[in-house]
C-alpha cells in the first residue's frame, strides 16, 4: 500500500483508533467516570443474567425503633441478647451472625457468653476502624475476649464502597496485617453448614489490636443487585422477645442480628437506595449470606483482561471498516449492545464480571468517527457528483428542464435557455405549461405525459417528435423524454433532444433508399411496397388497379450513339412525361435501365387503363431534345396487368405485366398489350428454352454445318454458308429456326453469334492450313447483334486470331434487320466493309427494302429468299420478282445468290436470267465440316475439279 493510501486508510479509521487509545489510557488508570458507568452497567445487567437461586434461608432480627422504644437506650444489657440467642437456639436456627460490635465489656456479658456457648452457632463481628487521635493506620475492632471465647466464629463486617459511594461488594477475607477473618456472611455460612463442632478461632489475646499500617483484604466478591429476590425475612427484636413462637419461623435459617433503627451506625447506601433508602448493615450481610450460599457472587475481571477484550472488540470494525450505507450503519450500530450483552452472558456462565463501559463507549466513539468520516466522504462524493452532473448538464447537447411536482421550472441548462430564449433566472418558478404554449402546439400532449410520468413514477418517451418554434422563428423537431425525480416523484426532468437534422437525414436516406437518383421516381422497393398495399386495398374495396410495365424501344441505340448523358436526359424526360400522363395518387417508378412501371389505383374499368396507356405512348412519341439540336423520336412498349383480376400477388402481377410488355415489343413496339393467360405458357416455354440455350453455349453443344454455294455458270464452289446446329446431349440435332428466335428474345444470340463468327473463322483457318481451297465463308448475324458496334470488334478479333483474310469472310443479315434501323445498320455495315469483310442481304424480297437505303449500304451480295425460288417455274409473280431482283442487284453491282435451289428447272431459270450463284439441296444440303471437306478437296487446284 502506498503511503498516501495508508494515510487515507488511517484517517478514515481515526474514530476507532482514538477509541482504542482512550481505552488504553482510561482503563488501566481506573478513570472514575468509566468506573461509575461500569457500576451502573453492573446494576442493570446483573439482575437480568443472574442465575436462579434457592429460596431465602436467612433472616434478620432487627433492632428497630420499636425495640429501642420498648427496651430503652442503646446499648442494652447484653443479657437481653443472651435471651434472644437462647430463643433462637431453641428454635433450631442454623447459625446466628451478630452484626454488633461487642468491642468493650458490658453488663450481661456473662449471660451472653453462656447463651453463645449453649448455642454454639454464634458468629461475632470484627470490623476495621480508622485510628484515632492523629494515629495512622486502621484498628481492628474485635469482640471482648470473654465473648469471643464463646463465639463459634468471628466474621469481618468490612464493606468496600464503590466509586459511586454504594456498597456492592464484600471481601472473602480481611484483617489487620493479614486477611485472617472470613466475611461475616461466609463465617455464618460455614457455621450454618456445621453440626455443633467446636470452633477454631484464632487465638489473639488482645481484643483491640494496635493500629496496623494497613487493612488487608482478599477475595473481592461482587454481590447481586439488592432486589426482592435476595431479601431476608425480618423480625423485630422486641417482637421476638415478646412472642417466642415467632422464632419457629426461623428454624434452619441463618439469623443475623443487628440494628436497623435510624440514628444507630450501620446503614449502607446500595444501588437500590434510590428506591428503598439506605440498607441496614445487618441486611447487607444477610443478603451477602444468601448470595454466597446461592453462588451468586462474582469476581471482577482484571483491568488488563478488560482492556485486551475492549481493544479486540474495537479492532474488528477498525479493520473491516466497510463503506457506509443504511443497512450497514444500522447493523453495525446495533453492535453497541454487544459489550453489555457479552458481559452479562459471561457473568452468568463464569461469574466473572467484565466491565463493558470502555468497549461500549469506545464503540460509540469509533462509530461516530466512522460515521463522520463516511459522511464527509459521502458529502464530498455528492459534491463531486453534483459538479459532474452540472458539467454534464452544461455540456450535453440536449436541452434539460427540471420541474417540481407542481410543474414549476426549477432548472434549465444552457441548451434549454437557447431553446426558450430565456435565462434560467427568468424561467425559474414559471409554470412549464406557460412556457410550452409559446413554443409548441403540443402543450396538451406534454402536460398529459408529464402527469402520467409523475403519477406512475416511470420514464416516458413521447413517441413522436415535438415541433418547436425557436425564438428566431425556425422550427425544429425535438424528441422528449420525461423522467421522474426521486422515488416519490418530487419532480421531473424533461430532456429535449434536437432530432431535426437526424430526421432530415433519415428522410433523405429513406428517400434515397426508395427513389431513383436519376429521375427522382420511386424505385423498385417503394413500388413493390405500394403495390402490395394497393393490391390489399383493392381486394378489400373490390376496386381495380393496373400495373403498366413500360419499356423504351431502342433506347440502347440512343445511349450508344449519343452517349450516356443524352440517355440520362431522355430517361428524365420520359419520367416527366409518364408522370404527367397519370393522376397525382398514381405511382410512376423506375424499374431499372429503360424500364418504368406505373401503378394506377382506384380504376373503374379496363378501357380507362387503355386510354392512359395510349396517352403515354403518344406523349413519349413527341420529339425529345436530348441534346441541343438533336431531336429524337421515342416509342415504348407497354404491358399491362390488372389486379387483383389477373393476380392479387404483387410479384406475379409484375411478371404478367412484363410478359405483356414483351408481347407488345415483339409486335414491333410502340404499342400496349394487356396480359392474357396464354402468355403464361409461352413465357414458361421461353424461360425453359432460354436456360437450355444458356447451358448449351456453356457446354459447347453448338456446331456449324456448311452449305456449298455454286457458281451457276462454271459449276464451281465459290462459297460456303455457315449454318448453326444445336446437338443436344441426347444426340438430337436441332435446326436454328427452333431456337434462334428464343436466343434473340433472351439476348443470348449475342453470345451465340460471337461463337459462330469465331468458330467459322477458326474452321476456315484449319482448312487453309490443310491447303484446301479457300472460299469465302458466310455467317449469319442477327438483328440484335447489329444493334451496336460490338459485332465489328468480334469480327476484327476473330480474323486477327485466326489469321484468315477478311475477304474470306462474309456477313449475312436479313433484309428486315437491314431495313429496321437503316441508319444504324448503314454505319455498322460501313465498319464491316472497312474491315474488308463482305456483306450479303439475306432473305431478300421478304421485307420492303428501300432502294435508296440499299444503295447507301456497302452490300456486295443479295440473296433471294427460297420462298421465291421455290415457285419460279410455276408462279409468274415469283418469277417476275426474281427476275427484277437479279436485274436490280446487277444494276447496283451486287452478286445475286439464289437460295433453296432444289431442281434443275430452277437452276436453268436462274442461269437464264444470269443469277450468279445457286445454293440449295440440288447441289448439297448443309454438311458437317468433315463432309464439306470433300467439296473443298474437289475444288482445290490439283485435287478434284468437279463437285462431288
Ligand atoms: N427448303 C429448302 N431449304 C434449304 C435448301 N437449301 C438450304 N436450305 C435451308 O435454307 C436455310 C438457309 O439459311 P437462311 O436463309 O440464312 O436461314 C437461316 C438463318 O436465317 C438462320 N440461321 C442459321 N444459322 C444461323 C446463325 O449462325 N446465326 C443466325 N443469326 N442465324 C442463323 O436460320 C435459318 C434457317 O437455317 P437452316 O435451318 O439451316 O436452313 C437453311 C438451309 O438449310 C433447299 O433447297 N430447300
Amino acid at each position: 500500500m502506498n503511503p498516501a493510501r495508508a494515510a487515507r486508510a488511517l484517517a478514515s479509521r481515526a474514530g476507532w483508533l482514538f477509541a482504542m487509545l482512550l481505552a488504553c489510557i482510561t482503563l488501566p488508570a481506573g478513570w472514575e467516570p468509566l468506573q461509575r458507568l461500569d457500576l451502573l452497567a453492573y446494576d442493570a445487567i446483573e439482575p437480568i443474567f443472574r442465575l436462579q437461586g434457592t429460596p431465602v434461608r436467612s433472616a434478620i432480627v432487627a433492632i428497630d425503633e420499636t425495640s429501642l422504644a420498648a427496651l430503652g437506650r442503646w446499648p442494652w444489657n447484653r443479657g437481653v441478647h443472651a435471651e434472644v440467642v437462647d430463643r433462637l437456639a431453641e428454635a433450631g436456627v442454623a447459625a446466628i451472625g451478630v452484626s454488633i460490635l461487642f468491642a468493650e465489656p458490658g453488663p450481661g456479658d456473662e449471660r451472653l457468653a453462656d447463651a453463645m456457648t449453649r448455642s454454639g452457632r454464634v458468629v461475632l463481628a470484627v470490623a476495621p476502624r480508622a485510628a484515632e487521635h492523629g494515629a495512622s493506620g486502621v484498628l481492628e475492632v474485635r469482640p471482648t475476649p470473654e465473648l469471643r471465647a464463646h463465639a463459634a466464629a468471628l466474621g469481618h463486617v468490612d464493606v468496600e464502597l464503590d466509586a459511586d459511594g454504594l456498597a456492592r461488594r464484600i471481601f472473602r477475607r480481611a484483617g489487620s496485617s493479614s486477611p485472617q477473618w472470613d466475611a461475616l456472611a461466609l463465617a455464618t455460612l460455614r457455621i450454618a453448614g456445621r453440626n455443633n463442632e467446636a470452633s477454631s478461632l484464632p487465638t489473639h489475646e488482645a481484643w483491640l489490636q494496635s493500629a496496623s499500617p494497613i487493612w488487608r483484604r482478599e477475595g473481592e466478591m461482587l454481590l447481586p443487585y439488592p432486589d426482592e429476590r435476595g431479601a431476608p425475612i425480618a423480625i423485630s427484636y422486641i417482637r421476638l422477645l415478646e412472642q417466642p413462637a415467632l422464632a419457629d419461623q426461623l428454624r434452619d435459617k441463618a439469623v443475623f442480628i443487628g440494628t436497623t433503627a435510624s440514628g444507630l451506625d450501620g446503614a449502607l447506601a446500595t444501588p437500590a437506595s434510590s428506591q428503598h433508602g439506605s440498607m441496614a448493615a445487618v441486611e447487607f450481610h444477610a443478603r451477602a449470606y444468601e448470595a454466597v450460599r446461592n453462588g451468586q457472587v462474582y469476581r471482577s475481571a482484571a483491568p488488563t483482561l478488560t482492556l485486551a477484550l475492549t481493544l479486540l472488540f474495537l479492532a474488528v470494525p477498525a479493520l473491516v471498516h466497510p463503506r457506509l450505507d443504511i443497512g450497514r450503519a444500522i447493523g453495525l450500530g446495533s453492535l453497541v449492545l454487544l459489550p453489555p450483552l457479552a458481559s452479562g452472558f459471561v457473568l452468568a456462565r463464569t461469574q466473572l464480571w467484565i466491565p463493558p463501559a470502555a468497549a461500549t463507549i469506545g464503540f460509540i466513539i469509533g462509530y461516530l468517527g466512522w460515521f463522520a468520516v463516511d459522511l464527509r466522504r459521502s458529502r464530498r462524493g455528492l459534491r463531486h457528483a453534483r459538479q459532474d452532473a452540472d458539467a454534464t448538464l452544461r455540456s450535453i447537447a440536449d436541452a434539460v428542464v427540471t420541474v417540481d411536482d407542481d410543474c414549476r421550472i426549477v432548472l434549465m441548462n444552457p441548451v434549454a435557455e437557447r431553446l426558450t430564449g430565456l435565462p434560467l433566472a427568468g424561467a425559474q418558478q414559471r409554470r412549464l405549461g406557460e412556457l410550452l404554449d409559446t413554443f409548441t402546439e403540443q402543450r396538451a400532449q406534454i402536460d398529459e405525459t408529464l402527469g402520467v410520468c409523475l403519477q406512475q413514477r416511470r420514464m416516458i418517451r413521447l413517441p413522436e417528435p415535438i415541433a418547436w418554434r425557436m425564438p428566431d422563428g425556425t422550427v425544429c423537431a425535438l424528441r422528449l423524454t420525461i423522467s421522474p425525480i426521486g422515488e416519490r416523484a418530487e419532480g421531473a426532468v424533461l430532456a429535449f433532444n434536437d432530432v431535426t437534422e437526424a430526421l432530415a437525414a433519415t428522410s433523405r436516406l429513406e428517400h434515397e433508399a426508395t427513389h431513383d437518383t436519376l429521375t427522382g421516381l420511386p424505385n423498385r422497393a417503394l413500388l413493390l411496397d405500394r403495390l402490395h398495399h394497393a393490391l390489399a386495398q383493392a381486394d378489400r374495396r373490390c376496386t381495380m388497379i393496373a400495373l403498366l410495365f413500360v419499356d423504351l424501344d431502342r433506347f440502347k441505340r440512343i445511349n450508344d450513339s449519343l452517349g450516356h448523358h443524352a440517355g440520362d436526359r431522355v430517361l428524365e424526360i420520359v419520367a416527366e412525361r409518364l408522370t404527367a400522363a397519370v393522376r397525382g395518387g398514381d405511382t410512376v417508378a423506375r424499374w431499372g435501365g429503360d424500364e418504368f412501371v406505373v401503378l394506377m389505383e382506384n380504376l373503374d374499368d379496363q378501357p380507362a387503363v387503355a386510354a392512359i396507356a395510349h396517352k403515354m405512348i403518344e406523349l413519349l412519341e413527341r420529339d425529345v431534345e436530348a441534346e441541343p439540336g438533336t431531336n429524337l423520336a421515342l416509342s415504348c412498349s407497354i404491358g399491362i396487368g390488372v389486379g387483383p383480376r389477373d393476380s392479387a400477388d404483387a410479384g406475379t402481377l409484375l411478371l404478367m405485366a412484363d410478359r405483356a410488355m414483351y408481347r407488345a415489343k415483339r409486335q414491333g413496339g410502340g404499342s400496349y398489350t394487356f396480359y392474357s393467360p396464354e402468355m403464361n405458357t409461352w413465357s414458361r416455354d421461353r424461360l425453359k428454352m432460354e436456360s437450355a440455350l444458356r447451358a448449351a453455349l456453356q457446354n459447347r453443344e453448338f456446331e456449324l454445318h456448311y452449305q456449298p454455294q455454286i457458281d451457276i455458270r462454271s459449276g464451281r464452289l465459290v462459297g460456303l454458308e455457315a449454318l448453326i446446329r444445336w446437338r443436344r446431349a441426347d444426340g438430337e440435332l436441332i435446326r436454328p429456326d427452333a431456337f434462334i428466335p428464343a436466343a434473340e428474345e433472351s439476348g443470348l444470340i449475342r453470345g451465340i453469334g460471337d461463337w459462330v463468327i469465331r468458330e467459322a473463322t477458326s474452321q476456315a483457318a484449319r482448312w487453309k492450313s490443310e491447303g484446301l481451297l479457300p472460299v469465302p465463308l458466310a455467317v449469319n448475324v442477327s438483328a440484335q447483334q447489329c444493334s451496336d458496334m460490338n459485332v465489328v470488334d468480334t469480327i476484327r478479333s476473330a480474323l486477327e486470331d485466326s489469321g484468315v483474310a477478311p475477304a474470306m469472310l462474309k456477313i449475312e443479315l436479313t433484309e428486315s434487320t437491314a431495313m429496321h434501323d437503316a441508319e444504324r445498320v448503314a454505319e455498322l455495315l460501313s465498319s464491316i466493309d472497312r474491315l474488308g469483310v463482305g456483306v450479303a442481304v439475306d432473305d431478300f424480297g421478304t421485307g420492303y427494302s428501300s432502294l435508296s437505303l440499299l444503295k447507301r449500304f456497302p452490300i456486295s451480295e443479295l440473296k433471294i429468299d427460297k420462298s421465291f425460288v421455290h415457285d419460279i417455274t410455276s408462279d409468274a409473280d415469283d418469277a417476275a420478282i426474281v427476275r427484277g431482283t437479279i436485274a436490280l442487284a446487277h444494276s447496283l453491282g451486287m452478286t445475286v445468290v439464289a437460295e433453296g435451289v432444289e431442281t434443275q428447272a430452277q437452276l436453268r431459270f436462274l442461269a437464264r436470267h444470269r443469277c450468279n450463284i445457286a445454293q440449295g439441296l440440288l447441289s448439297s444440303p448443309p454438311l458437317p465440316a468433315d463432309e464439306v471437306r470433300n467439296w473443298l478437296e474437289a475444288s482445290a487446284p490439283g485435287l478434284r475439279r468437279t463437285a462431288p
Side-chain angles (χ1 to χ4, degrees):
M1 194 187 287
N2 65 36
R5 227 172 130 192
R8 266 205 309 278
L10 277 179
S12 66
R13 289 161 172 81
W16 300 111
L17 298 176
F18 178 67
M20 288 186 330
L21 183 69
L22 216 58
C24 290
I25 295 169
T26 54
L27 264 174
W31 193 42
E32 193 187 308
L34 197 63
Q35 283 185 6
R36 281 173 176 264
L37 281 174
D38 275 327
L39 292 170
L40 279 175
Y42 176 80
D43 294 340
I45 292 168
E46 189 281 330
I48 299 169
F49 287 90
R50 187 188 310 164
L51 295 176
Q52 186 74 35
T54 54
V56 173
R57 297 190 59 79
S58 61
I60 301 170
V61 174
I63 299 167
D64 52 8
E65 276 86 357
T66 321
S67 305
L68 285 174
L71 295 172
R73 262 190 81 228
W74 184 262
W76 297 326
N77 186 305
R78 290 176 186 159
V80 183
H81 298 315
E83 198 178 330
V84 168
V85 168
D86 280 338
R87 213 140 287 160
L88 292 173
E90 281 163 23
V93 298
I96 302 167
V98 182
S99 170
I100 304 166
L101 288 174
F102 298 121
E104 291 165 13
D109 276 353
E110 228 170 281
R111 281 181 61 197
L112 178 58
D114 289 344
M116 283 165 49
T117 307
R118 278 192 295 279
S119 157
R121 292 176 177 269
V122 177
V123 181
L124 292 182
V126 176
R129 184 191 291 163
E132 290 171 354
H133 310 302
S136 64
V138 178
L139 290 178
E140 186 179 88
V141 182
R142 300 179 191 160
T144 61
E146 186 187 354
L147 292 178
R148 194 174 62 81
H150 298 276
L154 296 187
H156 78 81
V157 290
D158 175 28
V159 176
E160 164 83 343
L161 293 183
D162 287 326
D164 55 0
L166 302 180
R168 286 187 190 80
R169 64 189 88 211
I170 59 171
F171 294 89
R172 183 173 289 280
R173 297 174 73 79
S176 178
S177 301
S178 71
Q180 58 181 318
W181 307 112
D182 283 340
L184 181 67
L186 274 170
T188 308
L189 183 64
R190 192 153 42 76
I191 297 303
R194 201 189 66 190
N195 285 328
N196 281 339
E197 57 187 66
S199 70
S200 54
L201 291 173
T203 53
H204 293 279
E205 290 308 313
W207 59 270
L208 188 64
Q209 287 209 333
S210 58
S212 155
I214 197 159
W215 175 258
R216 296 193 183 279
R217 294 160 170 165
E218 68 174 26
E220 184 192 61
M221 292 192 293
L222 266 168
L223 299 178
Y225 181 85
D227 55 18
E228 286 310 308
R229 285 179 279 177
I233 303 164
I235 296 175
S236 171
Y237 195 97
I238 186 67
R239 285 189 61 213
L240 185 69
L241 285 174
E242 289 168 358
Q243 299 170 34
L246 280 177
D248 294 342
Q249 296 175 22
L250 307 176
R251 177 178 297 280
D252 293 334
K253 290 194 167 57
V255 176
F256 289 83
I257 302 170
T259 58
T260 63
S262 55
L264 298 180
D265 280 350
L268 292 167
T270 68
S273 294
S274 56
Q275 294 121 44
H276 306 294
S278 55
M279 185 183 284
V282 65
E283 184 183 338
F284 186 84
H285 294 300
R287 282 177 177 271
Y289 171 87
E290 279 300 325
V292 174
R293 187 180 66 78
N294 278 318
Q296 290 169 337
V297 287
Y298 313 102
R299 287 167 292 126
S300 270
T304 45
L305 175 64
T306 308
L307 178 62
L309 291 173
T310 301
L311 293 180
L312 185 70
F313 174 66
L314 296 177
V316 174
L319 287 174
V320 177
H321 196 71
R323 288 300 297 260
L324 195 68
D325 62 34
I326 287 289
R328 283 187 190 142
I330 293 172
L332 198 65
S334 63
L335 288 181
V336 75
L337 295 174
L338 189 62
L341 289 176
S343 279
F345 187 70
V346 172
L347 188 79
R349 298 295 296 259
T350 65
Q351 293 183 296
L352 179 68
W353 166 243
I354 303 168
T360 308
I361 292 172
F363 183 85
I364 292 169
I365 291 171
Y367 183 79
L368 290 177
W370 174 62
F371 208 79
V373 165
D374 221 86
L375 199 68
R376 218 179 59 197
R377 194 162 52 193
S378 300
R379 278 181 154 195
R380 213 171 33 230
L382 272 177
R383 206 169 52 240
H384 285 154
R386 203 195 157 100
Q387 282 166 354
D388 289 353
D390 220 47
T392 311
L393 265 185
R394 297 194 153 273
S395 60
I396 57 170
D398 287 1
V400 178
V401 179
T402 308
V403 294
D404 61 16
D405 54 355
D406 198 24
C407 297
R408 287 183 188 280
I409 294 169
V410 178
L411 201 86
M412 287 196 329
N413 72 347
V415 184
E417 289 178 334
R418 274 202 298 281
L419 213 63
T420 55
L422 286 172
L424 172 61
Q428 251 167 350
Q429 286 309 310
R430 278 181 65 179
R431 283 194 169 278
L432 178 72
E434 283 171 30
L435 200 76
L436 291 175
D437 268 341
T438 325
F439 300 102
T440 176
E441 279 161 17
Q442 285 155 275
R443 176 203 168 155
Q445 192 189 357
I446 299 173
D447 273 351
E448 191 187 331
T449 314
L450 180 57
V452 175
C453 163
L454 289 174
Q455 202 181 19
Q456 299 181 358
R457 295 174 207 163
R458 65 182 176 90
M459 190 187 93
I460 303 179
R461 187 168 204 220
L462 253 66
E464 294 299 322
I466 294 164
W468 186 275
R469 207 175 315 100
M470 298 279 285
D472 64 2
T474 54
V475 176
C476 60
L478 303 177
R479 209 169 257 297
L480 173 60
T481 309
I482 308 180
S483 315
I485 300 175
E487 285 182 0
R488 272 172 282 152
E490 297 93 358
V493 178
L494 292 91
F496 297 86
N497 179 228
D498 190 341
V499 291
T500 318
E501 279 186 18
L503 284 183
T506 309
S507 75
R508 246 193 335 268
L509 280 178
E510 243 170 50
H511 189 271
E512 278 167 20
T514 52
H515 288 77
D516 172 51
T517 32
L518 175 68
T519 58
L521 292 179
N523 64 8
R524 283 183 187 211
L526 184 55
L527 173 85
L528 282 171
D529 189 50
R530 291 195 184 163
L531 180 56
H532 281 296
H533 188 254
L535 275 169
Q537 208 169 45
D539 207 24
R540 254 198 326 274
R541 296 183 184 167
C542 297
T543 53
M544 197 173 99
I545 67 155
L547 198 67
L548 285 76
F549 209 110
V550 183
D551 187 276
L552 297 183
D553 300 330
R554 296 176 299 282
F555 173 72
K556 196 160 175 19
R557 215 187 64 209
I558 298 172
N559 235 359
D560 290 344
S561 56
L562 299 177
H564 286 282
H565 183 72
D568 287 353
R569 182 69 199 124
V570 167
L571 290 174
E572 283 168 357
I573 293 170
V574 169
E576 284 163 19
R577 292 188 182 178
L578 289 178
T579 309
V582 296
R583 290 178 299 194
D586 296 333
T587 302
V588 177
R590 183 164 174 213
W591 189 250
D594 59 349
E595 293 171 332
F596 295 83
V597 175
V598 180
L599 168 65
M600 298 196 294
E601 299 181 54
N602 299 321
L603 292 169
D604 302 328
D605 49 20
Q606 193 160 313
V609 184
I612 293 171
H614 188 73
K615 188 172 156 193
M616 285 177 176
I617 292 169
E618 229 178 51
L619 278 174
L620 286 193
E621 276 175 356
R622 290 183 193 165
D623 276 358
V624 171
E625 194 174 351
E627 275 188 340
T630 316
N631 278 337
L632 295 172
L634 294 179
S635 78
C636 67
S637 305
I638 302 178
I640 306 169
V642 175
R645 187 194 70 189
D646 293 339
S647 172
D649 174 70
T652 314
L653 196 63
L654 263 164
L655 205 68
M656 289 169 167
D658 179 42
R659 280 174 196 160
M661 183 277 288
Y662 213 85
R663 177 57 61 89
K665 187 141 281 211
R666 285 190 73 205
Q667 285 163 359
S671 65
Y672 63 85
T673 307
F674 279 90
Y675 168 79
S676 66
E678 127 274 342
M679 291 176 191
N680 236 1
T681 0
W682 169 77
S683 358
R684 247 199 318 276
D685 293 347
R686 192 191 80 179
L687 281 178
K688 262 166 79 179
M689 173 63 90
E690 276 178 20
S691 65
L693 278 176
R694 199 165 281 118
L697 190 59
Q698 224 166 25
N699 302 337
R700 303 181 163 277
E701 290 176 15
F702 295 114
E703 56 186 60
L704 288 184
H705 286 195
Y706 301 89
Q707 187 171 33
Q709 294 174 332
I710 309 295
D711 180 77
I712 294 177
R713 280 187 27 207
S714 65
R716 285 176 55 201
L717 177 73
V718 288
L720 292 170
E721 182 181 1
L723 294 160
I724 193 165
R725 299 289 181 267
W726 178 11
R727 193 174 293 279
R728 303 203 64 156
D730 56 6
E732 187 193 356
L733 198 66
I734 299 174
R735 305 212 20 167
D737 287 338
F739 63 85
I740 290 289
E744 279 177 338
E745 282 164 12
S746 63
L748 281 167
I749 192 67
R750 286 169 178 275
I752 295 171
D754 286 358
W755 178 83
V756 169
I757 293 167
R758 291 193 163 276
E759 175 58 23
T761 49
S762 305
Q763 185 58 61
R766 279 196 291 276
W767 282 328
K768 190 182 153 200
S769 70
E770 290 170 26
L772 295 173
L773 176 73
V775 288
L777 276 184
V779 293
N780 290 281
V781 292
S782 72
Q784 267 210 38
Q785 280 175 283
C786 294
S787 65
D788 58 44
M789 303 297 278
N790 288 346
V791 70
V792 181
D793 295 335
T794 309
I795 294 168
R796 187 185 297 115
S797 75
L799 288 172
E800 281 168 10
D801 293 349
S802 62
V804 170
M808 289 294 108
L809 189 65
K810 206 184 293 172
I811 296 302
E812 286 189 14
L813 72 163
T814 63
E815 185 189 3
S816 61
T817 303
M819 294 305 130
H820 181 69
D821 191 358
E823 279 189 36
R824 174 131 202 83
V825 171
E827 192 189 334
L828 178 87
L829 294 184
S830 300
S831 303
I832 294 173
D833 186 53
R834 276 198 295 278
L835 289 177
V837 173
V839 178
V841 171
D842 205 359
D843 303 341
F844 192 78
T846 54
Y848 301 93
S849 296
S850 146
L851 270 181
S852 60
L853 277 179
L854 214 55
K855 261 173 76 177
R856 280 172 53 196
F857 293 161
I859 299 169
S860 54
E861 196 173 279
L862 270 189
K863 293 185 81 176
I864 302 171
D865 189 64
K866 55 181 175 286
S867 59
F868 299 108
V869 175
H870 190 261
D871 294 328
I872 39 173
T873 51
S874 54
D875 187 327
D877 285 347
D878 284 355
I881 290 172
V882 171
R883 274 199 310 273
T885 305
I886 295 169
L888 172 70
H890 284 166
S891 72
L892 292 172
M894 299 174 190
T895 308
V896 183
V897 180
E899 284 189 312
V901 182
E902 294 176 346
T903 63
Q904 285 294 342
Q906 290 164 344
L907 187 64
R908 275 197 298 278
F909 179 91
L910 293 166
R912 199 163 49 248
H913 294 97
R914 293 193 290 130
C915 177
N916 306 98
I917 296 167
Q919 177 183 341
L921 297 178
L922 183 63
S923 43
S924 169
L927 297 169
D930 283 352
E931 293 177 29
V932 88
R933 131 193 293 278
N934 296 334
W935 276 87
L936 294 169
E937 283 171 357
S939 306
L943 291 172
R944 289 167 59 181
R945 307 208 51 88
T946 51

